[in-house]
Amino acid sequence: QQQVKQSPQSLIVQKGGIPIINCAYENTAFDYFPWYQQFPGKGPALLIAIRPDVSEKKEGRFTISFNKSAKQFSLHIMDSQPGDSATYFCAARAGTASKLTFGTGTRLQVTL
Amino acid sequence: EPEVTQTPSHQVTQMGQEVILRCVPISNHLYFYWYRQILGQKVEFLVSFYNNEISEKSEIFDDQFSVERPDGSNFTLKIRSTKLEDSAMYFCASTSTGMGNYGYTFGSGTRLTVV
């Protein structure tokens, strides 16, 4: 029940495309859903996060869509660029300052 | 922008040796964490620490592991007798529960290689 399932495992899009990464969860106690971007040899960096009382959040080219009834959330990257090539992890947390449970990651490659 | 600092960036150790991984969390953060990531796999929670004690630990965090906040700035992870399967990236993270702030900041990690 603590798992966060993430798909796809890898994704290749052309520059300007809109990659979409999906995550699903079971634990209804989760109250915070961040997305992290990770480059090789680096730590995860917070990209954008959402709480379950909103259905969508946009920050720059990154958008989270959240469907509370389906227990699913997704990351959309608008106008993707080669510099967006990285591994993306969704995560979830149940309660203030509690641990993050990560998805399995999506390796995104944006080609020219 | 404030950072979580981890040292060393890479450590190679022999099986059975003790290692200490060091972290300096963001100064006004109150909650500290260690996570690990085996090459190519997901980030896994090890332990959380608040008010000078462990608040939660995973099944990975067995008796070989310990954490300590020896002074007001450092946060350490000790592995007493390393095993080959301890080879991974270890990330320290911290967060504050200040108004409107839910972000967890991760360090750049320590790559531990056990040979």
Side-chain angles (χ1 to χ4, degrees):
Chain A
Q1 194 183 22
Q2 279 295 324
Q3 283 188 336
V4 178
K5 295 182 180 178
Q6 184 172 347
S7 63
Q9 194 171 23
S10 63
L11 193 52
I12 301 174
V13 299
Q14 283 195 325
K15 180 174 179 290
I18 306 176
I20 300 172
I21 305 170
N22 300 297
C23 285
Y25 64 97
E26 290 295 324
N27 187 354
T28 54
F30 285 150
D31 64 352
Y32 169 74
F33 302 88
W35 284 90
Y36 283 84
Q37 179 188 56
Q38 186 181 33
F39 292 104
K42 299 295 184 184
L46 179 64
L47 204 54
I48 186 173
I50 198 167
R51 288 177 58 100
D53 50 350
V54 298
S55 60
E56 186 176 274
K57 184 174 181 181
K58 290 183 182 181
E59 284 185 6
R61 295 184 295 109
F62 302 95
T63 299
I64 300 178
S65 297
F66 189 86
N67 186 330
K68 188 174 181 177
S69 60
K71 298 202 275 296
Q72 295 175 348
F73 58 111
S74 60
L75 176 70
H76 303 231
I77 305 175
M78 307 301 175
D79 187 27
S80 58
Q81 302 295 315
D84 296 329
S85 298
T87 299
Y88 292 81
F89 291 95
C90 63
R93 178 201 78 183
T96 301
S98 66
K99 68 183 181 189
L100 290 173
T101 299
F102 282 83
T104 49
T106 296
R107 183 172 291 185
L108 172 66
Q109 185 180 351
V110 181
T111 62
L112 290 170
Chain B
E1 189 166 327
E3 290 184 342
V4 173
T5 305
Q6 288 188 245
T7 55
S9 57
H10 190 188
Q11 176 139 12
V12 181
T13 189
Q14 288 198 326
M15 193 168 54
Q17 295 297 302
E18 175 184 285
V19 294
I20 297 176
L21 310 183
R22 291 182 167 80
C23 169
V24 179
I26 293 174
S27 60
N28 64 345
H29 283 186
L30 302 175
Y31 298 83
F32 314 114
Y33 311 82
W34 284 101
Y35 291 80
R36 81 172 186 189
Q37 185 179 32
I38 294 170
L39 187 63
Q41 297 186 23
K42 70 176 181 179
V43 180
E44 299 176 289
F45 168 76
L46 292 178
V47 66
S48 57
F49 192 86
Y50 170 70
N51 201 26
N52 285 320
E53 62 182 26
I54 290 173
S55 46
E56 187 177 0
K57 60 183 180 180
S58 72
E59 58 193 24
I60 302 169
F61 193 88
D62 60 23
D63 292 343
Q64 294 298 315
F65 291 88
S66 62
V67 290
E68 193 178 36
R69 188 155 163 82
D71 54 44
S73 59
N74 290 285
F75 180 49
T76 63
L77 174 69
K78 181 191 291 185
I79 309 175
R80 261 180 271 282
S81 177
T82 50
K83 302 188 279 281
L84 294 175
E85 53 265 38
D86 293 328
S87 295
M89 283 288 285
Y90 288 80
F91 295 106
C92 174
S94 68
T95 191
S96 165
T97 58
M99 187 73 75
N101 181 351
Y102 305 101
Y104 296 67
T105 304
F106 283 76
S108 293
T110 293
R111 180 175 297 282
L112 177 64
T113 303
V114 182
V115 297

